[in-house]
Amino acid sequence: MTSADEQARFSRIINLLDQTGFERLQNAAVTVVGLGAVGGFATEALARAGIGRLRLVDFDTIQLSNFNRQLYALQENLGRCKVVVAKERILQINPNCLVETQETFVHHDTLEEILASPQDLVIDAIDSLNPKVELLAAVQARGIPVISSMGAALRRDPAQIHIGLLSQTRNCPLARILRKRLRRRQVSLDLPCVYSTERIDQLPSTAINAGDPQDHLAARGRVRQSLGSLPTITGIFGLTLAHTALEHLLLQQG
């Protein structure tokens, strides 16, 4: 039952979807893995659409190098955990949203916790290859629907951003390497993802797991090279992920 406060807060959503459609979103549980430039905007849209339960997974803190593109990067949040800041923001948007935070690095040993309890959908907004492979293999093994983001860095043309199957992506170095890794794991490539067909130069090997140079996660592996990116492109990636998620939830629960 939607309260009077929720009726007003989400009136535009209800006007578009009707009460039944909105309640489907209220009853949905979505996990967002990765709260950077792409995942932050995806989470924002899900919260503003009235998703009832959100699980947020990210091990990182807000750094100065995040300010050009990440939603949570404000001076007052510098050095704070992204999942904590994200939860505060979501509850400012929708106080009734049930928000669970996991300050967790995605690894084979942490996937049971990340994917615990029934989830209607997982959004993969990870920008590191190995955790991405582990997550996608795990959700497929568990039969959990997933929508994944491919590489948004180095792109400048929003008209070349698409939603499609990983098996159909082109001109994306991250997607190409991801396909090879998933094939080795016998993971199906028929999973939806957001990607760009804009041609870019081949990524250097040190950039496949691209993060910020001062990212404390670099201590877990080799030094990684940061890549240039625009707030517009990464934001569109995140909003496209969220839109695809909403359409999936409305269809599956219809």
Side-chain angles (χ1 to χ4, degrees), residues 96-113:
N96 293 321
C97 185
L98 301 177
V99 185
E100 176 189 348
T101 61
Q102 294 186 9
E103 190 183 345
T104 302
F105 185 76
V106 178
H107 183 271
H108 178 75
D109 296 336
T110 63
L111 285 166
E112 285 299 327
E113 177 187 6

Side-chain angles (χ1 to χ4, degrees), residues 40-236:
F41 275 90
T43 302
E44 179 86 359
L46 294 176
R48 293 188 183 278
I51 295 296
R53 288 174 288 165
L54 286 167
R55 176 177 295 162
L56 311 177
V57 182
D58 197 302
F59 192 65
D60 208 357
T61 58
I62 296 166
Q63 306 293 329
L64 281 172
S65 57
N66 303 149
F67 276 56
N68 80 301
R69 70 202 182 283
Q70 295 193 16
L71 190 63
Y72 309 128
L74 302 172
Q75 190 64 31
E76 64 186 11
N77 293 331
L78 193 59
R80 300 183 67 204
C81 295
K82 290 179 181 177
V83 292
V84 173
V85 175
K87 179 176 181 177
E88 290 175 355
R89 186 175 175 95
I90 291 166
L91 294 179
Q92 287 292 314
I93 295 167
N94 180 12
N96 293 321
C97 185
L98 301 177
V99 185
E100 176 189 348
T101 61
Q102 294 186 9
E103 190 183 345
T104 302
F105 185 76
V106 178
H107 183 271
H108 178 75
D109 296 336
T110 63
L111 285 166
E112 285 299 327
E113 177 187 6
I114 291 170
L115 300 176
S117 75
Q119 295 293 303
D120 295 306
L121 182 70
V122 169
I123 289 181
D124 160 36
I126 303 173
D127 63 0
S128 297
L129 181 62
N130 290 337
K132 203 173 194 73
V133 171
E134 291 292 342
L135 178 67
L136 293 177
V139 294
Q140 188 166 114
R142 291 164 173 78
I144 303 172
V146 64
I147 304 169
S148 183
S149 175
M150 297 299 107
L154 304 180
R155 275 74 175 191
R156 297 176 62 177
D157 185 357
Q160 296 195 57
I161 298 173
H162 304 277
I163 181 76
L165 298 179
L166 178 60
S167 58
Q168 299 170 337
T169 57
R170 54 191 174 88
N171 298 337
C172 180
L174 173 61
R176 182 170 61 252
I177 296 173
L178 185 62
R179 288 195 300 268
K180 291 180 180 178
R181 293 284 189 93
L182 292 177
R183 286 192 190 102
R184 293 175 193 164
R185 301 278 292 268
Q186 297 184 320
V187 176
S188 172
L189 304 182
D190 289 333
L191 59 90
C193 65
V194 179
Y195 66 98
S196 172
T197 56
E198 182 177 353
R199 290 187 179 276
I200 60 172
D201 293 335
Q202 176 66 41
L203 296 180
S205 60
T206 55
I208 294 302
N209 292 327
D212 296 317
Q214 71 270 42
D215 186 349
H216 59 279
L217 295 185
R220 294 176 178 264
R222 60 185 176 182
V223 176
R224 302 177 298 180
Q225 178 178 333
S226 66
L227 300 174
S229 58
L230 290 171
T232 47
I233 298 298
T234 52
I236 293 169

